[in-house]
Amino acid sequence: MIQKVLVANRGEIAVRIIRSCREMGIESVAVYSDADRSAMHVRYADEAYRLGPAPSTQSYLNIDAILSIAKKSGAHAIHPGYGFLSENADFANRIREAGLIFIGPSAEAIDAMGDKMRARALMQKAGVPIVPGTSALAEDEDEIKKMATQIGYPVMIKASAGGGGKGMRLINNEKELINGVRRAKSEAQTAFGNDAVYLEKYLLEPHHIEYQIMADNFGNVVHLYERECSVQRRHQKVVEETPSPFLTPQLREQMAQQAIAAAKSVNYSGAGTIEFLVDRDRNFYFLEMNTRLQVEHPITERVTGFDLVKAQIQVARNEPLSFGQKDVKQIGHAIECRIYAEDPTHNFVPSPGLVKHISEPLGLGVRTDGYVYEGYEIPMYYDPLISKLIVWAPTRKAAIQRMKRALYEYKITGVKTNIAFVQKIMEANDFVEGNYNTHFIANNFDFLMQPDSNCGDCEDIAMIMAFLDYQNKQNKRHDFARQRQTGQSNWKNVGRLFRHNPY
Ligand code: ADP
């Protein structure tokens, strides 16, 4: 029985999970750090409990504190969201030992897939193609050189425990190799507490294409098609779409079958993602499996019509999947843009702070998964994701048009955002033509950084709205009478704003 779920996360994903709980008639329990007292997930949940100080090591990563709140609140199950403890086998084990339900796969599956080298070995055994590479690198320098020559340069050194785009190093020739391995090992030790590294062939112009999997505890495994995630900056996804414009129907089906085989090989249960790299000749290779809900899951929900969080909870309740493979159709086209509080003009440095004004796009085919409201202070302690903007339309072309329209409507002031940057992605020829790979952002960087001609006017309007709002509050609070006497008006200030603002 699951009648109450504790959500061990924050931000947009906590809100997303709480929404499905409410729709299913399940009570939700939020946990929050001191920086999140007035966060949206705290407001939307049925109950909320303080976890600890702002740093995540003392709050969202504190297993003891989360378990004690679960007990206190009478929650039956814990949903980990993504990030934080979502791929921590110890967390899954501790939850089960406490007699509660972990909404996710077995600790064994998390463990097996959490280690890149172990996952590669398992996939090889299951007959799933993997990126050509080695197992753990030995100490012998000549041996390492021999292995790299066999694979062929360029090669990538990867940390077995790596993740989130970290722990990868590109090596172009033998000269860079040994020093690179040494550095990679010490970086891996510092970042992940595990210095195991291995070599992988560096694929040229690859696509990152991943498959959504849902599996129950009765041996049913279905795929919900692919997501094209090749629009990346520093190996991190920025825009995702489905279907992938790169796949042929035949390849789509072949990859789907391999994704199912991969999930079956670890007796997978719940929602998971099998990531592949596809080279320019359309050879595909297993990259890794993520044993949790992905950031980009809404585009899959949009084209298939299934609520993945609901399906996760049903599986955790030990119910069989409510749909079979034949029920899963890929209808129309969906795109997601990740909207961040960051400054593209200063190397995308995070831009936390007070959100003075926010107006999110609405209208036909638009979904925003966010958590930020006017007057909210985006904390500096966590990922600066503001929201995910998802659009759906019957065709890819119409979906791009819709995304451009939605981005045009999206206004946020107070913090810097990447809205203009993703707007430019929607205008870039390579993206519009569906002719792009993981180097798209690097290859189009100058174009993407040009000021956005589309947004100028509405930025002004948003500025004015925010400014008027601010002025009104100030006036109410302080010296409205004095301002009137001195003839100062909001509109005068707006005029001044125009003269001094380079928008
Ligand atoms: P992480 O687990 O840190 O997210 P991944 O192994 O999933 O790392 O890789 C992230 C991204 O790095 C991929 O989507 C791709 O752009 C790039 N990448 C990883 N491995 C290779 C490779 N062998 N060749 C080319 N690009 C790669």
Side-chain angles (χ1 to χ4, degrees), residues 14 61 129 149 202 297 305 317 357 364 371 476 490:
L61 293 172
T149 309
Y202 183 68
H297 77 276
R317 276 176 173 165
H357 172 78
L364 189 62
Y371 75 107
K476 260 184 230 140
N490 284 337

Side-chain angles (χ1 to χ4, degrees), residues 281-330:
D281 301 320
R282 292 194 169 80
N283 301 305
F284 67 91
Y285 308 94
F286 170 83
L287 185 63
E288 65 165 351
M289 179 170 191
N290 289 322
T291 52
R292 53 169 168 83
L293 201 63
Q294 299 273 103
V295 176
E296 56 274 22
H297 77 276
I299 54 173
T300 299
E301 295 186 321
R302 207 57 194 79
V303 295
T304 63
F306 294 105
D307 174 339
L308 291 176
V309 173
K310 181 175 175 185
Q312 282 185 301
I313 294 173
Q314 286 169 334
V315 169
R317 276 176 173 165
N318 215 21
E319 293 169 17
L321 282 182
S322 63
F323 53 91
Q325 192 62 64
K326 64 173 182 359
D327 304 313
V328 185
K329 302 264 175 337
Q330 209 176 20

Side-chain angles (χ1 to χ4, degrees), residues 252-450:
R252 175 169 291 116
E253 191 49 36
Q254 262 178 26
M255 290 176 68
Q257 291 316 318
Q258 294 291 358
I260 287 179
K264 281 192 169 162
S265 74
V266 285
N267 288 327
Y268 200 76
S269 161
T273 295
I274 316 287
E275 298 189 336
F276 294 101
L277 284 185
V278 188
D279 71 16
R280 51 188 172 188
D281 301 320
R282 292 194 169 80
N283 301 305
F284 67 91
Y285 308 94
F286 170 83
L287 185 63
E288 65 165 351
M289 179 170 191
N290 289 322
T291 52
R292 53 169 168 83
L293 201 63
Q294 299 273 103
V295 176
E296 56 274 22
H297 77 276
I299 54 173
T300 299
E301 295 186 321
R302 207 57 194 79
V303 295
T304 63
F306 294 105
D307 174 339
L308 291 176
V309 173
K310 181 175 175 185
Q312 282 185 301
I313 294 173
Q314 286 169 334
V315 169
R317 276 176 173 165
N318 215 21
E319 293 169 17
L321 282 182
S322 63
F323 53 91
Q325 192 62 64
K326 64 173 182 359
D327 304 313
V328 185
K329 302 264 175 337
Q330 209 176 20
I331 295 169
H333 199 96
I335 305 176
E336 172 182 283
C337 288
R338 299 186 186 194
I339 306 302
Y340 286 99
E342 63 184 14
D343 183 358
T345 60
H346 288 89
N347 202 23
F348 296 87
V349 62
S351 171
L354 183 70
V355 175
K356 289 189 186 149
H357 172 78
I358 178 164
S359 61
E360 296 189 306
L362 291 167
L364 189 62
V366 176
R367 163 178 171 180
T368 53
D369 275 23
Y371 75 107
V372 168
Y373 54 87
E374 216 153 277
Y376 176 72
E377 181 137 8
I378 298 174
M380 56 178 278
Y381 299 95
Y382 318 109
D383 186 73
L385 184 71
I386 293 176
S387 77
K388 300 166 338 195
L389 174 57
I390 302 111
V391 301
W392 179 92
T395 64
R396 183 171 190 271
K397 197 173 164 199
I400 294 174
Q401 285 301 111
R402 184 158 285 164
M403 181 58 88
K404 287 207 264 193
R405 184 273 287 173
L407 287 165
Y408 178 84
E409 290 175 9
Y410 211 155
K411 296 298 156 226
I412 302 172
T413 59
V415 296
K416 303 251 195 264
T417 76
N418 66 340
I419 291 175
F421 183 75
V422 289
Q423 179 77 274
K424 294 296 284 190
I425 292 176
M426 293 300 124
E427 290 167 13
N429 276 340
D430 286 348
F431 184 80
V432 172
E433 285 161 19
N435 174 29
Y436 67 90
N437 55 52
T438 56
H439 303 297
F440 163 78
I441 287 187
N443 290 345
N444 290 274
F445 201 70
D446 288 346
F447 174 81
L448 300 176
M449 291 303 289
Q450 277 166 26

Side-chain angles (χ1 to χ4, degrees), residues 356-359 374 411-414 455-475 489-503:
K356 289 189 186 149
H357 172 78
I358 178 164
S359 61
E374 216 153 277
K411 296 298 156 226
I412 302 172
T413 59
C455 262
D457 288 352
C458 41
E459 289 281 357
D460 284 343
I461 293 167
M463 282 285 290
I464 293 166
M465 284 166 72
F467 185 77
L468 287 177
D469 188 49
Y470 172 77
Q471 281 279 299
N472 279 334
K473 281 180 190 146
Q474 290 284 316
N475 290 346
S489 80
N490 284 337
W491 288 107
K492 260 198 186 151
N493 286 329
V494 168
R496 223 175 280 150
L497 192 78
F498 263 127
R499 277 195 299 281
H500 296 298
N501 246 289
Y503 275 105

Side-chain angles (χ1 to χ4, degrees), residues 116 120 131-132 154-156 158-168 170 192 198-210 229-230 232 234-237 275-277 287-290 292 437-439:
K116 286 181 196 264
R120 280 165 60 79
V131 182
V155 296
M156 255 190 154
K158 279 196 179 179
S160 198
K166 296 188 190 84
M168 276 180 272
L170 176 60
F192 315 111
Y198 64 102
L199 297 182
E200 211 173 76
K201 180 154 190 65
Y202 183 68
L203 300 180
L204 299 173
E205 299 173 20
H207 284 246
H208 175 122
I209 297 175
E210 59 185 33
C229 306
S230 298
Q232 301 181 353
R234 297 204 180 132
H235 306 309
Q236 292 275 57
K237 300 158 191 168
E275 298 189 336
F276 294 101
L277 284 185
L287 185 63
E288 65 165 351
M289 179 170 191
N290 289 322
R292 53 169 168 83
N437 55 52
T438 56
H439 303 297

